Amino acid sequence: MTAQQGGTGDGREGAGRPSRRTVLASLGALPVAAVAAPVLGASGARAATRAAGEVVIDPSAERQTIRGFGGMNHTPWIGDLTAAQRETAFGTGEGQLGFSMLRMPVDETSSNWAGEVATARRAQELGATVFASPWNPPAHMVETFVRGDQQDARRLRHDMYGAYAQHLNDFTGFMRDNGVDLYAISVQNEPDYAHDWTWWTPEELLRFMREHAGSIDTRVIAPESFQYLKNISDPILNDSQALANMDILGAHLYGTPYGDFPYPLFQQRGAGKELWMTEVYHPNSSDSADLWPHALDVGEHIHHAMVDADFQAYVWWYIRRSYGPMREDGQISKRGANMAHFARFVRPGHVRVEATPSPEADVFTSAYRGGGSRVVVVAVNKGGSAVSQPFSVVGSSATTVSSWVTDAGRTVAAQGREGVTGGSFTAELPGQSVSTFVWE
């Protein structure tokens, strides 16, 4: 992402190359019509409501441990979050996003590093995991070369790999000295889509990971491919030394088809490593984040990222933007509400557990186990009609379930508590809505 992102464009507009918007638009037409949604009811679904197959949740069938949900703060490009906006972003109360992850840039100029400290420190105080990604090395470490029709492509000089690792350590140390314990640092933001920053070939990244990443004194993220292209991460997974030096496989999902979300090689080779989705906006940066039911695409996207890809983290691009989770006025948007249905209730350390992923067309469900007997279910209904949705939690002794709903007229609105019998419960999912249910 580039500084051009300061407007509503996507920062990819350049002569002779596709923009992110072009990539995303190619996936298909976007829904724009708003449909009135029925009121959520825990039982006794009305006659017009479709009955769905049961969602069976097995808390003993563990999948991935969740690190969290979050977004990017990039002060040199669009300014810092205000104190109030930090609370909205990382707080977990009503009207807040509940983010538990913060991404920030590693600026090539060290004099800009101080600008990231205030938000990073407050996010950490509120329990967020803080990590960072570089767009460019310091200028003296870079050389230009010809790449296709790009005459001034940039790359890290091969004799500067050790110095670059030290640059990343310097940033980590600066943050530590200023009260921010950086959880991880990336080698490069989008090394495979770098018209406006620094290119890395798969071979160059492999060499750095094998020979220099081991000297970095925090966890290392790689490769943060623009579209989760496996050709740049496969070599790392297949090289024992490079793999030993990688702690987190990071990926972006710009225009990535759902069919490409699974990564069998990571499942085979990535034991002990984390798998994070470190940047996306979806489905575009041109529409308002409050366009409904368009915003439900975010809820479905997170569902597939959790269920199909087994990601442990889901991180949006700019936290505050017209197309982002927080509007420029500091209030959460409808897209942000979709994120909050996960972020506020599926907290770090929760474990995704087996659940019926799609009990019928246009309904998507995922489940997470917290401490004790806590079970969280997020259900997205993209269909135009309400759905009477049965849920059953295997082995649950809970007697009540709490719920929250977002639809055309409500935003993460609490719906109170309803009774549960034998671990089973039926909810009415309004047409074009996202709901969260919590069994305690």
Side-chain angles (χ1 to χ4, degrees):
M1 192 64 62
T2 74
Q4 297 170 15
Q5 188 63 22
T8 58
D10 54 25
R12 298 287 185 179
E13 294 81 358
R17 61 180 183 268
S19 68
R20 275 186 175 155
R21 189 179 304 160
T22 301
V23 172
L24 295 167
S26 69
L27 299 181
L30 301 172
V32 295
V35 177
V39 176
L40 175 69
S43 59
R46 58 195 70 186
T49 300
R50 302 192 312 274
E54 186 177 38
V55 172
V56 178
I57 301 145
D58 185 354
S60 68
E62 297 183 350
R63 299 299 179 250
Q64 74 271 31
T65 300
I66 302 303
R67 176 64 57 186
F69 304 84
M72 177 87 184
N73 192 50
H74 201 310
T75 62
W77 289 358
I78 64 167
D80 199 2
L81 298 177
T82 67
Q85 289 166 356
R86 292 168 196 145
E87 303 304 309
T88 299
F90 300 102
T92 58
E94 183 177 353
Q96 297 178 322
L97 286 165
F99 281 176
S100 52
M101 300 193 76
L102 170 68
R103 183 181 184 228
M104 60 182 175
V106 182
D107 200 281
E108 58 263 40
T109 304
S110 59
S111 60
N112 289 333
W113 293 350
E116 304 297 334
V117 170
T119 291
R121 185 186 293 145
R122 183 56 182 152
Q124 181 177 274
E125 289 170 352
L126 292 170
T129 296
V130 180
F131 70 103
S133 299
W135 269 245
N136 292 299
H140 71 277
M141 299 183 190
V142 175
E143 64 183 4
T144 58
F145 69 107
V146 177
R147 186 183 187 278
D149 60 358
Q150 188 180 1
Q151 301 298 308
D152 60 347
R154 282 174 285 181
R155 67 185 171 205
L156 177 65
R157 286 169 42 186
H158 292 173
D159 63 341
M160 286 287 180
Y161 280 22
Y164 182 58
Q166 185 56 50
H167 169 70
L168 299 181
N169 280 337
D170 290 345
F171 180 84
T172 302
F174 176 88
M175 286 296 159
R176 184 183 303 116
D177 292 344
N178 284 275
V180 178
D181 185 12
L182 203 65
Y183 184 84
I185 198 163
S186 174
V187 175
Q188 173 66 49
N189 171 76
E190 296 180 353
D192 53 346
Y193 202 92
H195 301 88
D196 297 312
W197 46 87
T198 302
W199 290 100
W200 293 65
T201 66
E203 294 76 19
E204 288 168 336
L205 192 59
L206 176 62
R207 176 189 162 191
F208 182 88
M209 291 300 300
R210 187 170 53 223
E211 299 177 8
H212 298 277
S215 68
I216 296 174
D217 58 11
T218 189
R219 296 171 187 84
V220 176
I221 305 171
E224 290 201 284
S225 168
F226 163 63
Q227 287 188 309
Y228 202 11
L229 300 179
K230 312 306 192 292
N231 68 305
I232 197 166
S233 48
D234 280 356
I236 299 172
L237 291 171
N238 285 319
D239 185 285
S240 58
Q241 185 57 55
L243 181 60
N245 291 335
M246 183 190 76
D247 302 286
I248 300 161
L249 195 153
H252 299 179
L253 293 178
Y254 287 104
T256 309
Y258 290 144
D260 290 343
F261 276 27
Y263 198 176
L265 184 61
F266 179 84
Q267 300 305 323
Q268 296 166 14
R269 301 275 297 162
K273 312 297 180 180
E274 295 188 60
L275 183 63
W276 291 7
M277 198 292 294
T278 56
E279 185 191 314
V280 78
Y281 56 75
H282 181 81
N284 59 34
S285 63
S286 56
D287 291 324
S288 165
D290 287 312
L291 185 62
W292 194 265
H294 182 197
L296 279 173
D297 287 354
V298 174
E300 182 187 359
H301 196 257
I302 298 174
H303 167 87
H304 289 293
M306 297 292 108
V307 174
D308 299 344
D310 293 311
F311 282 118
Q312 297 167 266
Y314 186 99
V315 181
W316 192 267
W317 177 226
Y318 289 139
I319 294 174
R320 184 196 65 228
R321 218 67 185 144
S322 63
Y323 55 85
M326 182 189 296
R327 301 195 305 254
E328 293 289 356
D329 66 1
Q331 302 302 305
I332 73 169
S333 67
K334 288 292 192 180
R335 288 183 179 182
N338 276 261
M339 291 194 71
H341 274 277
F342 290 88
R344 275 180 54 185
F345 305 100
V346 183
R347 302 300 297 166
H350 278 51
V351 177
R352 187 177 73 83
V353 297
E354 189 64 27
T356 307
S358 184
E360 70 163 70
D362 295 324
V363 176
F364 306 94
T365 55
S366 59
Y368 310 84
R369 191 192 72 230
S373 59
R374 177 183 171 90
V375 174
V376 180
V377 173
V378 184
V380 179
N381 178 16
K382 295 190 72 179
S385 300
V387 172
S388 180
Q389 181 60 66
F391 295 93
S392 178
V393 180
V394 176
S396 174
S397 59
T399 57
T400 61
V401 61
S402 302
S403 62
W404 292 258
V405 66
T406 295
D407 56 16
R410 294 171 290 186
T411 301
V412 200
Q415 302 300 290
R417 296 189 177 196
E418 299 292 341
V420 176
T421 302
S424 297
F425 167 77
T426 297
E428 185 175 307
L429 308 179
Q432 297 177 326
S433 70
V434 54
S435 301
T436 297
F437 304 95
V438 178
W439 284 258
E440 296 286 1

